[in-house]
Amino acid sequence: MRNLKKILLALLIVLIGLFIGYNYLYHDHRDISSEEAEIKVNAEKLTKMFQLNEASTVLNKTVVVWGKITEIEDNTFTIDGKVHCTFKVLPASNKIGDSISVKGRCIGYDDLFEIVKLDQCSIL
Amino acid sequence: MKNSLILLSFIFIFSLNSSAQDKFSTKQGTVFFEANVPSFEPVEAKHENVSAILKNDGTFAALALVTGFRFKIALMEEHFNENFAESATYPKITFKGKIKDFEASKLTEEITEFTIIGTFSMHGKEKEVKLPVKVYKKNGIVYVSSQFSLKPEDFDIKIPSVVSKKIAEEIDVTVNLQLNKM
């Protein structure tokens, strides 16, 4: 009887260990749309942050950025010609000239086009 | 009469000039890489926000922001950014080069193979490469694709022995770009 209890306890510990291990290895991706944004700025300011060498404060962070849509291409918006936002599905109702706020993950500064890029974007 | 001739020749010269400087570009190019080893979890990632510019004479530049590579497994993505590519220190992968014997204005809908010679810059290291590229043009859009292999060691990226069995020594890269006229 006591042996059985020990075996059951050991089994339980192993199961818990496996569960924790599995959750660590296969934890979910970040859900940017439900994360609280660490940085909230307009498009111009976000670009400036990279020019002022403050990249580390925004890289891979969830940001909220606002401005006017200046370009729509495939599943992306460009805001004020400075911030390029990629959506999984492009919101159909927005058009060029609209003022919007977008939440997304900042992946860095693109010096070919001199724009900041966001992915996993959602409209606020 | 003379004036209009001069004007006409100006327009002619100008139009020649503009075609010589035609540029094609994208901000949504895709790069896919895999370093799979059979019977282990697939090591692969996709980037759908790669920027590229191609000039009429074949001059080419591309840029991928390292943080933009998406893996299926979140932990793998974290390890890639923190331990291998070190995206906080080296946020960009760039390629600069020139396609040999190329003229964008002469492209057709037929897929043509070219060679591009250029330099990869990644993880603080540079490497000169010669790669095959397939190019064609349809409805004014230039399509560029390439497949090649890279070695992490060429860019001073060390794979710890604990995981080295799970990551292939050569990384297979596939690039697909749809370049619109700028």
Side-chain angles (χ1 to χ4, degrees):
Chain A
M1 196 57 197
R2 256 172 94 198
N3 253 342
L4 189 68
K5 257 187 185 169
K6 268 189 189 161
I7 290 168
L8 276 174
L9 191 72
L11 204 68
L12 192 70
I13 290 168
V14 168
L15 275 176
I16 291 171
L18 280 175
F19 181 74
I20 294 171
Y22 184 87
N23 275 329
Y24 171 69
L25 286 174
Y26 296 100
H27 66 89
D28 280 339
H29 279 280
R30 289 164 63 189
D31 179 12
I32 302 299
S33 62
S34 68
E35 271 184 30
E36 184 65 35
E38 288 180 52
I39 284 126
K40 298 177 181 182
V41 286
N42 66 26
E44 167 122 38
K45 185 92 189 291
L46 188 62
T47 327
K48 282 247 168 71
M49 291 177 85
F50 281 92
Q51 285 151 3
L52 295 170
N53 269 327
E54 294 169 4
S56 60
T57 57
V58 279
L59 196 65
N60 202 22
K61 301 273 163 62
T62 301
V63 300
V64 166
V65 64
W66 57 85
K68 279 199 170 73
I69 301 175
T70 49
E71 202 186 321
I72 300 177
E73 201 184 340
D74 299 332
N75 56 334
T76 69
F77 284 160
T78 305
I79 302 177
D80 290 348
K82 289 187 172 359
V83 179
H84 183 259
C85 313
T86 307
F87 295 81
K88 212 168 216 165
V89 185
L90 194 72
S93 58
N94 294 97
K95 51 189 192 302
I96 288 175
D98 285 1
S99 290
I100 49 159
S101 280
V102 170
K103 178 151 80 173
R105 180 183 70 133
C106 183
I107 61 168
Y109 184 77
D110 173 339
D111 13 36
L112 275 185
F113 289 98
E114 298 177 328
I115 49 167
V116 176
K117 282 187 171 177
L118 306 184
D119 72 358
Q120 302 167 66
C121 289
S122 54
I123 295 269
L124 291 183
Chain B
M1 183 62 197
K2 206 178 164 192
N3 269 343
S4 63
L5 252 179
I6 290 169
L7 189 70
L8 214 68
S9 57
F10 259 114
I11 290 167
F12 181 69
I13 289 164
F14 187 73
S15 64
L16 266 184
N17 196 28
S18 87
S19 100
Q21 293 187 337
D22 267 357
K23 275 184 186 177
F24 299 87
S25 73
T26 182
K27 297 180 191 116
Q28 285 103 247
T30 59
V31 170
F32 175 80
F33 76 75
E34 54 183 339
N36 294 340
V37 172
S39 82
F40 280 109
E41 201 70 67
V43 180
E44 51 188 43
K46 197 174 183 187
H47 199 311
E48 290 176 316
N49 276 306
V50 177
S51 292
I53 298 176
L54 173 69
K55 285 188 191 155
N56 189 56
D57 66 353
T59 310
F60 177 82
L63 180 151
L65 296 165
V66 181
T67 317
F69 278 104
R70 304 302 315 277
F71 290 70
K72 208 177 99 203
I73 298 165
L75 187 70
M76 219 181 257
E77 193 170 306
E78 287 163 22
H79 284 177
F80 169 77
N81 279 293
E82 286 159 22
N83 308 333
F84 301 116
E86 298 179 82
S87 56
T89 319
Y90 310 105
K92 291 163 207 161
I93 297 173
T94 61
F95 179 86
K96 284 194 173 76
K98 194 167 181 182
I99 305 175
K100 255 174 78 179
D101 310 317
F102 181 87
E103 208 172 311
S105 53
K106 287 188 182 156
L107 287 171
T108 61
E109 289 189 16
E110 202 177 319
I111 299 169
T112 318
E113 282 219 35
F114 292 93
T115 303
I116 186 161
I117 298 166
T119 309
F120 264 113
S121 165
M122 147 168 39
H123 199 249
K125 290 275 170 298
E126 290 195 342
K127 186 176 166 63
E128 248 187 70
V129 288
K130 205 168 151 186
L131 306 169
V133 278
K134 285 180 181 155
V135 190
Y136 69 97
K137 189 155 116 183
K138 199 175 177 184
N139 300 328
I141 299 169
V142 177
Y143 295 81
V144 176
S145 66
S146 182
Q147 276 186 308
F148 52 89
S149 301
L150 291 174
K151 284 186 181 148
E153 64 200 49
D154 286 338
F155 299 95
D156 207 18
I157 296 171
K158 291 181 187 79
I159 314 286
S161 55
V162 196
V163 290
S164 66
K165 279 193 186 121
K166 298 174 188 169
I167 301 174
E169 276 175 31
E170 290 220 343
I171 292 167
D172 295 323
V173 186
T174 309
V175 180
N176 274 303
L177 307 167
Q178 273 187 41
L179 304 158
N180 294 299
K181 203 170 168 183
M182 270 176 107

